Amino acid sequence: MSSTVLNLGGMQSVSTMTGTIDYSQIIEQLTQANRAPGDALNATIQNEQLKQNDWSNVAKLATAVQNDLVTLASANTFNSFTTTIGGTDTSAISAAAAGGATAGTYAINVTQQGSKATLTSGAEIGKAAALTDPMNANEFAQPISLGTISATIGGTTVSHTVTGSDSIDSILTALFGANGSQVSWSMNNNQLSISSNTAQNITFGTAGDSSNLFQVLGLTGQVLAGTGTSAKSSLVGHAQLNSYLTSANFSSSLTSTTSGDLRINGVDITYDTGTDTLQSVINQINASTAGVTAGYDPLQDKMILTSNTSQPVSVSDVSGNLGQVLGLTSGVAGAGQPWIYQINNGPAQTSASATVSNAIPGVSFTMNQTGSATLTVAQDTSALTKAVNTFVGDFNTLYGQLNTYTGKGGDLQGDVAIAQLGFQYMNDVLNTVPDMTQFAQQSVWGIGINNGAIGSAPGTTNSLQVDSGALTAAFANDPSEVQSLLTGMATRLNTDLTNLTGQFNTLTPNSLYSQNISGIAQNMENMYADNIKNTEQQQQQIYDQAAAEAQQMQTQFNQLQQFQQQMAAQQNALAAMLGSLKGY
């Protein structure tokens, strides 16, 4: 009986005297069996990963609580004050309180409204214009746009196209004829005067004009209503705000030096006549500590310095002569008057400024007008209640998560490193704070922070709660001890949380800084990371061993197949030889 070989894919099966064995399936089954211990480690890896994530989350939640504790223990949380204005004239004052203010009620009577001192240029600072000056001269209140300009004489509109070389003289001549024909004009004290020599109405400018000359001169829309009527322009020649000082069209000449020093109220304003403009000098004055506001009045062509208080303004040229050119060293001073007020019917007091910051400790009030008002300064509990409620909310999240992780069925059930943390942290919050005497139990229980009243129903005392009414009442009664209670509790809890997180802050004791601790949570994360790494290495070894054994079985199968092929060849040769002997 001959045997045959069934070759599936080159190395799929081996024939036997009674049938065929699927050797590839046997190898696969054996390989799966060899890999099974490694596959079983996936559950271990997954479980270790969950524990590592849990510790990471606990550290994150604990860090949030630590941040809350820093805010809770901050002096700003306890030193916030509010101000309320009452009385007869509530608009007479406004006020604000800073940390460390003195609570109380103050009667403030403003008896004199103060005024600011001013200093104005003694004369126009710009060079006066002439009738023959061209339109492109750098002297007008704003650049003259070229184009059509018109006037209406009776019912007839006459127009002229303004060019850069035109002058006021040439434009008026083009519109009205020679000086004295229909109108007469002259330039006096930097203003253009025009009078009518005709009985017809004359109107300056039309809606279609593209040149702005009449608008710049303040003549647009003005009407000469018959012979002898007249109109006068605004100032024609002006100082130029945005040209360099050397070409700003000043009426007086600057000294040849490029660098100068203008002193205002003892503050030096330095400038360069070749690179600074009048506007940049104004900006520098306003940004300085001179205590004035500088500005340019285009209607008067003058500089105005307004003091921030009633104190007079002093100006001098240390070097250069810009102060003189601006008319400030010989300017006209507008005297200011101080504010006068009384507090609690005390003696009259004066202030050069409307704002008084040294009369009531920690309080600044601003006088707006004369009148009587009542200023009440009170402790602000909003910052405290916000800080306490934020802390309690984050603490409860941490506490609840610890209970979930360590409770029945939790990922960290039985983990001794975490088992007692929730209990420890709750005790840190609720235990007695040393040296406290004012409130019941000498702990935060006495100021409205607890985990449920004694005798509460089961399940209702697992988290902190805040009685805001009790908290604010305690704060009003003794703010100093409330601050000491909360700061002491915060410091104690923060120390234990630092051991957990390794996160240092302003509440961390100096002894812990020197230890350079990494924190329990990080150590546990590292431990689980190492466990995962070791398990994955162990798993890989199992998989590598299974692969090696599969390769060895495959090699043995190949050898068996080759041997079977040799046997089949020999069998065929023997059969052929026996067949050739049958003829004998």
Side-chain angles (χ1 to χ4, degrees):
M1 182 178 182
S2 63
S3 62
T4 60
V5 176
L6 180 61
N7 189 343
L8 299 177
M11 298 178 290
Q12 296 297 318
S13 60
V14 178
S15 63
T16 66
M17 297 298 293
T18 59
T20 300
I21 298 175
D22 188 344
Y23 197 72
S24 63
Q25 185 177 8
I26 292 175
I27 293 176
E28 182 179 353
Q29 291 173 346
L30 289 174
T31 300
Q32 289 177 349
N34 288 336
R35 286 175 58 91
D39 293 340
L41 293 177
N42 282 330
T44 300
I45 293 173
Q46 196 172 48
N47 187 46
E48 296 291 287
Q49 186 67 65
L50 286 174
K51 293 179 180 180
Q52 184 185 33
N53 292 343
D54 290 347
W55 276 104
S56 176
N57 189 43
V58 165
K60 178 181 177 181
L61 297 177
T63 298
V65 174
Q66 282 189 273
N67 293 338
D68 295 339
L69 293 173
V70 171
T71 301
L72 187 58
S74 170
N76 292 335
T77 302
F78 304 93
N79 290 334
S80 181
F81 291 82
T82 60
T83 57
T84 305
I85 308 299
T88 306
D89 303 302
T90 56
S91 58
I93 63 169
S94 55
T102 301
T105 299
Y106 306 88
I108 300 177
N109 182 26
V110 182
T111 59
Q112 176 174 291
Q113 183 167 334
S115 62
K116 298 177 179 179
T118 60
L119 178 63
T120 305
S121 301
E124 298 164 20
I125 63 175
K127 182 179 180 181
L131 289 172
T132 56
D133 291 344
M135 293 296 100
N136 55 15
N138 191 36
E139 64 180 10
F140 298 99
Q142 56 182 291
I144 303 301
S145 56
L146 307 182
T148 303
I149 193 167
S150 305
T152 303
I153 306 171
T156 303
T157 298
V158 293
S159 300
H160 173 70
T161 300
V162 177
T163 66
S165 60
D166 261 324
S167 65
I168 294 176
D169 246 347
S170 66
I171 293 170
L172 294 179
T173 298
L175 292 175
F176 303 109
N179 195 342
S181 297
Q182 291 180 300
V183 298
S184 298
W185 61 84
S186 62
M187 186 76 74
N188 299 300
N189 298 322
N190 200 26
Q191 285 184 286
L192 174 66
S193 297
I194 304 177
S195 61
S196 175
N197 297 324
T198 177
Q200 301 181 82
N201 286 352
I202 297 177
T203 304
F204 295 93
T206 65
D209 287 351
S210 54
S211 174
N212 64 344
L213 175 60
F214 284 158
Q215 178 184 348
V216 172
L217 296 177
L219 292 174
T220 297
Q222 289 202 46
V223 178
L224 300 181
T227 304
T229 58
S230 62
K232 185 176 286 188
S233 75
S234 55
L235 297 178
V236 181
H238 280 257
Q240 300 297 297
L241 274 175
N242 296 304
S243 297
Y244 292 139
L245 295 174
T246 52
S247 56
N249 194 48
F250 291 133
S251 59
S252 300
S253 298
L254 290 164
T255 54
S256 58
T257 179
T258 57
S259 299
D261 185 349
L262 178 66
R263 183 169 292 170
I264 301 177
N265 290 347
V267 176
D268 291 324
I269 308 298
T270 58
Y271 59 89
D272 187 312
T273 59
T275 58
D276 274 310
T277 65
L278 180 55
Q279 185 62 63
S280 71
V281 171
I282 290 173
N283 294 342
Q284 189 182 165
I285 293 171
N286 292 337
S288 74
T289 58
V292 300
T293 300
Y296 170 72
D297 182 356
L299 297 180
Q300 300 184 72
D301 189 31
K302 293 181 179 182
M303 281 285 292
I304 300 177
L305 300 182
T306 303
S307 174
N308 295 338
T309 69
S310 61
Q311 299 297 326
V313 182
S314 65
V315 177
S316 62
D317 283 312
V318 178
S319 62
N321 67 333
L322 182 60
Q324 176 188 344
V325 169
L326 296 179
L328 295 175
T329 55
S330 60
V332 179
Q337 64 178 8
W339 292 83
I340 301 178
Y341 64 95
Q342 294 173 288
I343 298 179
N344 293 338
N345 295 318
Q349 301 184 59
T350 61
S351 173
S353 170
T355 299
V356 179
S357 56
N358 57 0
I360 302 173
V363 177
S364 172
F365 67 88
T366 299
M367 296 173 283
N368 304 313
Q369 62 186 44
T370 58
S372 299
T374 300
L375 168 60
T376 300
V377 182
Q379 196 100 38
D380 181 11
T381 60
S382 61
L384 174 62
T385 55
K386 179 181 178 181
V388 169
N389 280 287
T390 299
F391 156 70
V392 166
D394 287 342
F395 179 89
N396 286 340
T397 300
L398 170 64
Y399 185 75
Q401 200 64 70
L402 286 171
N403 287 339
T404 299
Y405 288 154
T406 59
K408 186 176 182 180
D411 300 333
L412 299 175
Q413 182 181 1
D415 189 327
V416 294
I418 200 171
Q420 296 299 313
L421 291 185
F423 178 77
Q424 176 184 348
Y425 298 155
M426 185 64 79
N427 282 342
D428 283 341
V429 175
L430 299 178
N431 278 352
T432 299
V433 176
D435 301 323
M436 297 296 103
T437 60
Q438 179 64 34
F439 300 105
Q441 298 174 293
Q442 290 77 54
S443 77
V444 296
W445 274 88
I447 60 174
I449 304 173
N450 54 62
N451 64 342
I454 298 174
S456 298
T460 64
T461 60
N462 291 329
S463 60
L464 291 177
Q465 57 190 20
V466 182
D467 183 339
S468 295
L471 176 64
T472 54
F475 192 51
N477 180 55
D478 193 336
S480 177
E481 180 138 329
V482 170
Q483 180 176 1
S484 296
L485 268 174
L486 291 173
T487 301
M489 178 275 290
T491 302
R492 179 170 58 198
L493 175 58
N494 181 75
T495 299
D496 284 340
L497 291 176
T498 301
N499 288 323
L500 173 68
T501 65
Q503 178 74 35
F504 292 161
N505 57 36
T506 55
L507 297 178
T508 306
N510 292 332
S511 59
L512 288 180
Y513 281 102
S514 60
Q515 294 179 27
N516 193 28
I517 62 174
S518 59
I520 297 171
Q522 187 61 60
N523 291 336
M524 295 304 295
E525 287 184 63
N526 293 342
M527 183 194 75
Y528 285 116
D530 289 342
N531 290 348
I532 292 170
K533 181 179 179 180
N534 293 335
T535 304
E536 287 176 340
Q537 290 176 344
Q538 180 182 353
Q539 184 184 55
Q540 190 60 48
Q541 290 174 353
I542 293 172
Y543 288 158
D544 290 345
Q545 181 64 32
E549 292 179 1
Q551 184 60 49
Q552 183 179 9
M553 285 187 286
Q554 192 67 63
T555 300
Q556 292 173 346
F557 167 69
N558 291 340
Q559 293 173 349
L560 179 60
Q561 188 179 49
Q562 292 173 2
F563 175 74
Q564 188 179 38
Q565 289 172 347
Q566 292 173 357
M567 292 295 295
Q570 293 175 0
Q571 187 179 34
N572 290 338
L574 181 60
M577 184 179 66
L578 292 175
S580 65
L581 295 176
K582 288 183 180 180
Y584 295 100

